[in-house]
Amino acid sequence: MTASISRGVPPVDLHVHSSRSDGTLSPRQLVDYAMEKGLKAFALTDHDTTEGLDEAVSYAQSLRERPCCQDGSLVPKDACPDSVPEVIPGIEFSTEYEGQDIHVVGLYIDYKNEAFGQKLQAFVDSRILRNQKMCSLLQQAGIQISYEKLLLEFPGAVITRAHYARYLLSHGYVKSIKEAFERYVGDDCPYFVPREKVTPFQAVELILKADGIPILAHPGLYSMSDSRLEKLIKELKEAGLLGIEAIYSTYDGAMERKIRALASKYRLLISGGSDFHGANKPGLDLGCGHGSLYIPKTVLCAIKECRKNLLFTDLDGTLLLDDSTVSPAMKEALFGMTKKGHRLILTTGRPLPSVLSVCSQLGFLKDGVPLIPNLLVISYNGALVYDCSKKTPVLEHRISQEDIAFITKKAGEAGLHIHGYTDSEILCRFQEDGQENAELRYYRRRIAMPVKWVPDVAQALPYGTWKLQVIHLTDNEALKQFRDSLLPCFEGRLQMIFSNPRYLEILPAQAGKGNALRHVCAYLPAPLSHTFAAGDEENDVSMLLAAQTGIAMKNAVPQAKKAARVITQADNNHDGLLEILNRYFQ
């Protein structure tokens, strides 16, 4: 059965079956065989079951812990612990989409998760009922079979149609597996009973809830039109799909290029697997498929990278001290966490030029080049997401020129300061005395951007702006009344939130830190289950609720503390965020 793998670095195989579903090797035998083949890792992805995972994971761990002889050899086997492959806990869900079978693989699932286990038990129960019905139909055809006999013949297995076919062959009812499927257990046979299936969207949701990485399995096998396949991928991406099987045993070069192109378009991770079943798929071998399959370790590295933690942190009142700096200890911790592969996403109401200026002052950027790897910035309270490495926006939402005209007119009538933004300037209407008012002077203490004076703010922003800033230094009630007067006019189009009692922020409805957090997870891609968000003000609330772990600073407003799962013991001026970095980002 062995076929050689010879491309230098030992590969991985992220789609493998054992005898616990419809493979022929036990989980323990798979570990031994993977060692023989020189694989670095394989994912055990049995159909709709995790029953074999404990056996495979614990056996691999026992091999790594074997004692060494003085000459370095191992007892009892002549192999090094480094040669033992990583066993990745996985599953393959059989689902149905518009009348068609679709398979979704989950990698790195928490298979001991209680809620996940309860869902799987429901699948097991429906599978048992289906098998009992099929056995009854086959008995009526004169075949001596029962569900109990199948369990005795295939101990420890999840019974599938492959087991029926092998039973029929071994008991002389058919002369081949092919005949068994054609006469008895194929889709169009009178003895076949379809099993109740989940949708692929439900499978993605289950995998995500089990802290796994959902992967669309072998999309090249579904015989879909290009438009229908792309529709499926787009819908699954919106549901949380993180990867796609672009490397597969039966793909030719054209198919692999097609699936890779879809992965790139929808920002999906690349996965790959042999779909090894042992003797049940003759000629298809572990790690190398039909002989030419090769899944490089870099594929697995990218999947592991997406499981690192993401820290979305507000700046003022959260990460920064009140003097807009960070302590040496905080700076060291931030650089340390990113060196370990965790991600930092700065999330603020500040305009982008102000954030980039702060990043340069803190040493996160040098001459515009990020010193913190893969640094992302969410600015204007989520209306703009910026990739510092690529120096380009990855998401923008703008208030229309028409809406700017209406709002600035109303602000003028109410005697309130309001301004918008160009790419590099604060945009204000001319003051009669030609001087900055107190509100603008106060704002520019921290936001050191140049001001452009114009007779009409709306006319100067033909393409709109990311947000409008309304300021009153002493009367929060006046800002609330202004907000309440505008909201009925812009329901579903704009949102209005406070970043502090003096600042009312007017944003596109699609903006907001929470929506931006979700967009970043889709962009990277990364699961929401590994997100942490820290903030202190009302404009942070949506982000704290969107993240898996919302963190409110000790100095946070009550709304933020109510939305958070964790409240720091120290405030921003005493490095409260260090508590989180030391706990979750080591």
Side-chain angles (χ1 to χ4, degrees), residues 346-353 355 377-386 466:
L346 302 177
T347 311
T348 178
R350 289 184 183 230
L352 180 63
V355 187
V377 167
I378 296 173
S379 62
Y380 298 106
N381 277 314
L384 175 64
V385 179
Y386 183 81
W466 300 280

Side-chain angles (χ1 to χ4, degrees), residues 294-531:
Y294 184 82
I295 303 140
K297 192 179 177 184
T298 52
V299 167
L300 181 58
C301 289
I303 290 171
K304 286 184 173 182
E305 190 72 19
C306 95
R307 301 188 76 246
K308 296 288 187 177
N309 289 338
L310 285 72
L311 176 62
F312 294 79
T313 177
D314 177 47
L315 290 180
D316 301 299
T318 302
L319 175 65
L320 300 181
L321 306 174
D322 284 350
D323 63 0
S324 294
T325 65
V326 295
S327 71
M330 180 68 76
K331 186 173 180 179
E332 181 182 358
L334 291 171
F335 274 93
M337 65 166 255
T338 57
K339 285 180 181 177
K340 294 170 184 171
H342 303 299
R343 298 288 296 258
L344 175 66
I345 302 96
L346 302 177
T347 311
T348 178
R350 289 184 183 230
L352 180 63
S354 174
V355 187
L356 298 180
S357 175
V358 169
C359 287
S360 295
Q361 293 167 21
L362 299 179
F364 298 168
L365 294 174
K366 184 176 181 180
D367 299 325
V369 177
L371 301 179
I372 285 185
N374 306 309
L375 181 63
L376 293 176
V377 167
I378 296 173
S379 62
Y380 298 106
N381 277 314
L384 175 64
V385 179
Y386 183 81
D387 188 322
C388 293
S389 298
K390 296 180 180 179
K391 298 184 178 180
T392 184
V394 298
L395 172 73
E396 290 190 78
H397 298 297
R398 294 176 183 250
I399 304 171
S400 71
Q401 186 182 41
E402 180 182 4
D403 287 345
I404 294 169
F406 182 86
I407 294 168
T408 52
K409 179 175 182 292
K410 291 295 183 182
E413 292 172 357
L416 294 170
H417 168 86
I418 189 168
H419 65 251
Y421 303 89
T422 67
D423 287 343
S424 58
E425 302 156 317
I426 299 169
L427 203 63
C428 289
R429 186 175 180 276
F430 281 126
Q431 299 292 316
E432 291 183 4
D433 58 5
Q435 300 294 318
E436 289 186 0
N437 57 29
E439 287 80 9
L440 189 57
R441 284 195 299 273
Y442 183 87
Y443 182 76
R444 292 186 69 219
R445 292 184 314 152
R446 285 187 172 173
I447 311 300
M449 289 172 61
V451 178
K452 182 177 182 180
W453 302 97
V454 295
D456 188 312
V457 170
Q459 286 299 315
L461 293 168
Y463 303 107
T465 190
W466 300 280
K467 77 169 182 176
L468 291 170
Q469 185 84 48
V470 188
I471 304 175
H472 199 298
L473 298 180
T474 58
D475 193 347
N476 177 254
E477 192 59 35
L479 293 175
K480 288 179 178 178
Q481 290 176 5
F482 182 65
R483 176 197 61 185
D484 293 344
S485 70
L486 289 179
L487 280 174
C489 307
F490 297 101
E491 186 175 357
R493 206 157 75 238
L494 298 178
Q495 56 178 303
M496 302 175 195
I497 55 176
F498 284 93
S499 55
N500 66 53
R502 301 176 182 87
Y503 294 170
L504 175 63
E505 317 255 350
I506 301 177
L507 308 164
Q510 310 95 315
K513 292 186 177 184
N515 286 338
L517 181 150
R518 284 184 281 266
H519 182 86
V520 166
C521 287
Y523 170 75
L524 290 176
L528 278 168
S529 57
H530 288 254
T531 56

